[in-house]
Amino acid sequence: MAAVVRVPDILAKKQQGEPITMLTTYDFNMARLLDAAGVDMLLVGDSLGMVVLGYRNTVPVTLDDMVHHSAAVARGVEHALVVADMPFGTCHSGPDDAMRAASRLVQEGGAAAVKIEGGHQITDVVARLTDGGIPVMAHVGLRPQSVHQIGGFRRQARTPSEAELLLHDVKALADAGAFSVVLEAIPHYVAAEATQAAPIPTIGIGAGPHCDGQVLVSYDVLGLYDRAVPKFAKQYADLGHQVTLAAKQFVDEVTAGQFPPPPHQPS
Ligand code: KIV
């Protein structure tokens, strides 16, 4: 097994021009399987709310949900850096509240870092957590927790003024101490400019090939979720279909009296 990944290793990868990989995960066993693949970071994303808990968006996910799932993931990981999402409502009532929430994710949830959606508005929170010893991954562009404000899961930074604001946000977040930043659903040329300008690694999702790293939702990668899959996601396996086939075979065999097999008769 490769060495444990730590925050300075992620920064070093940018400096050395080595691509960074991150996948989401939400439970112990999947964390073990994905960790064994050698992924650099495992994100306990609040996409948990959609792919595991069945909500239509990430807004209903609570801090208790995140702590519970992060702890399960942390128990399964030996190599990757575990990053846990700060869920809706935990960062915008001030740095002290954010520090309390982040501390739970690190102390009880076993995360090594937290991810926060937001731009220049949250630099005080980023600075407070970083000063308190909690590494912060920022998240700009499409911020799914703002779905009600944006009016859907829409691509961002499409006008020159929006792109300018995003570049300004990335700089402000890096200055505040963020160790990396997720760029979600923005034009590839904006992501390229942010990546070139930022002293910290950019991790893209639907942001083109010029980021320092890439992240995807593991349920999209594995074909385990077919509600609202973004166009930019790549499906590498069709496990959802395999699961239904296996379960159907079980149902058929039990119904037909083929499983369990008859006990061995002593001869
Ligand atoms: O919650 C999540 O899965 C995320 C990724 C889309 C980056 O934030």
Short mmCIF file of all heavy atoms in Angstrom, two decimals, residues 16 33 37 40 69-70 96 98 127 142 151 175 186 196 206 218 222:
data_model
loop_
_atom_site.label_atom_id
_atom_site.label_comp_id
_atom_site.label_asym_id
_atom_site.label_seq_id
_atom_site.Cartn_x
_atom_site.Cartn_y
_atom_site.Cartn_z
N GLN A 16 4.89 19.85 -8.70
CA GLN A 16 5.60 18.91 -9.57
C GLN A 16 4.83 18.60 -10.86
O GLN A 16 5.25 17.75 -11.65
CB GLN A 16 5.90 17.62 -8.80
CG GLN A 16 7.00 17.84 -7.76
CD GLN A 16 6.86 16.90 -6.56
OE1 GLN A 16 6.11 15.93 -6.61
NE2 GLN A 16 7.60 17.19 -5.50
N LEU A 33 -12.55 0.04 -0.82
CA LEU A 33 -12.37 -0.35 -2.23
C LEU A 33 -11.73 0.80 -3.03
O LEU A 33 -10.82 0.57 -3.83
CB LEU A 33 -13.73 -0.73 -2.85
CG LEU A 33 -14.43 -1.93 -2.21
CD1 LEU A 33 -15.83 -2.11 -2.79
CD2 LEU A 33 -13.61 -3.20 -2.42
N ALA A 37 -7.56 1.60 -4.75
CA ALA A 37 -7.24 2.00 -6.13
C ALA A 37 -6.15 3.07 -6.17
O ALA A 37 -5.68 3.44 -7.25
CB ALA A 37 -8.50 2.50 -6.83
N ASP A 40 -5.92 9.84 -4.49
CA ASP A 40 -5.21 10.72 -3.53
C ASP A 40 -6.11 11.17 -2.39
O ASP A 40 -5.68 11.22 -1.24
CB ASP A 40 -4.70 11.99 -4.24
CG ASP A 40 -3.64 11.68 -5.27
OD1 ASP A 40 -2.69 10.93 -4.93
OD2 ASP A 40 -3.75 12.20 -6.40
N HIS A 69 -21.20 9.64 8.53
CA HIS A 69 -20.65 9.01 7.32
C HIS A 69 -19.14 9.21 7.22
O HIS A 69 -18.42 8.33 6.75
CB HIS A 69 -21.37 9.51 6.07
CG HIS A 69 -22.74 8.91 5.94
ND1 HIS A 69 -22.97 7.75 5.25
CD2 HIS A 69 -23.92 9.28 6.49
CE1 HIS A 69 -24.25 7.43 5.35
NE2 HIS A 69 -24.85 8.35 6.09
N SER A 70 -18.67 10.36 7.66
CA SER A 70 -17.22 10.60 7.61
C SER A 70 -16.49 9.60 8.51
O SER A 70 -15.43 9.06 8.13
CB SER A 70 -16.96 12.05 8.06
OG SER A 70 -15.61 12.32 8.00
N ASP A 96 -16.79 31.26 14.41
CA ASP A 96 -16.82 30.43 15.61
C ASP A 96 -17.73 29.21 15.42
O ASP A 96 -17.35 28.08 15.76
CB ASP A 96 -17.26 31.23 16.84
CG ASP A 96 -16.18 32.22 17.27
OD1 ASP A 96 -15.02 32.06 16.84
OD2 ASP A 96 -16.51 33.16 18.02
N ALA A 98 -18.53 27.92 12.58
CA ALA A 98 -17.87 27.07 11.58
C ALA A 98 -16.76 26.24 12.22
O ALA A 98 -16.60 25.06 11.91
CB ALA A 98 -17.31 27.94 10.45
N ALA A 127 -9.82 31.43 7.16
CA ALA A 127 -8.68 31.86 7.98
C ALA A 127 -8.78 31.29 9.40
O ALA A 127 -7.80 30.80 9.96
CB ALA A 127 -8.60 33.38 8.01
N LEU A 142 -20.14 26.29 -9.61
CA LEU A 142 -21.44 25.78 -9.19
C LEU A 142 -21.34 25.31 -7.74
O LEU A 142 -20.53 24.43 -7.42
CB LEU A 142 -21.89 24.62 -10.09
CG LEU A 142 -23.16 23.89 -9.64
CD1 LEU A 142 -24.35 24.84 -9.51
CD2 LEU A 142 -23.50 22.76 -10.58
N GLY A 151 -31.25 28.70 -8.87
CA GLY A 151 -32.40 28.26 -9.65
C GLY A 151 -32.14 26.97 -10.40
O GLY A 151 -32.68 26.75 -11.49
N ASP A 175 -5.34 33.25 -0.40
CA ASP A 175 -4.71 34.20 0.55
C ASP A 175 -5.18 33.92 1.98
O ASP A 175 -4.43 34.11 2.93
CB ASP A 175 -5.05 35.65 0.18
CG ASP A 175 -4.34 36.12 -1.08
OD1 ASP A 175 -3.41 35.40 -1.53
OD2 ASP A 175 -4.72 37.17 -1.63
N ILE A 186 -17.60 25.09 -14.65
CA ILE A 186 -17.23 26.40 -15.22
C ILE A 186 -16.53 26.15 -16.55
O ILE A 186 -16.03 25.04 -16.79
CB ILE A 186 -16.32 27.22 -14.26
CG1 ILE A 186 -14.97 26.50 -14.01
CG2 ILE A 186 -17.04 27.52 -12.95
CD1 ILE A 186 -13.95 27.36 -13.29
N GLN A 196 -3.66 28.49 -13.49
CA GLN A 196 -2.36 29.14 -13.74
C GLN A 196 -2.05 30.18 -12.68
O GLN A 196 -0.92 30.30 -12.20
CB GLN A 196 -2.45 29.80 -15.12
CG GLN A 196 -1.26 29.46 -16.01
CD GLN A 196 -0.60 30.75 -16.45
OE1 GLN A 196 -1.30 31.72 -16.72
NE2 GLN A 196 0.71 30.75 -16.51
N GLY A 206 -16.32 19.00 -14.09
CA GLY A 206 -17.01 19.70 -15.16
C GLY A 206 -16.34 21.03 -15.46
O GLY A 206 -17.00 22.01 -15.80
N SER A 218 -18.47 9.18 -6.95
CA SER A 218 -18.19 7.76 -7.21
C SER A 218 -19.42 7.03 -7.73
O SER A 218 -19.30 6.12 -8.55
CB SER A 218 -17.66 7.08 -5.95
OG SER A 218 -18.58 7.23 -4.89
N LEU A 222 -19.30 4.73 -11.05
CA LEU A 222 -19.57 3.29 -10.96
C LEU A 222 -20.93 2.90 -11.54
O LEU A 222 -21.28 1.72 -11.57
CB LEU A 222 -19.50 2.85 -9.49
CG LEU A 222 -18.14 3.10 -8.81
CD1 LEU A 222 -18.22 2.78 -7.32
CD2 LEU A 222 -17.05 2.26 -9.47
#
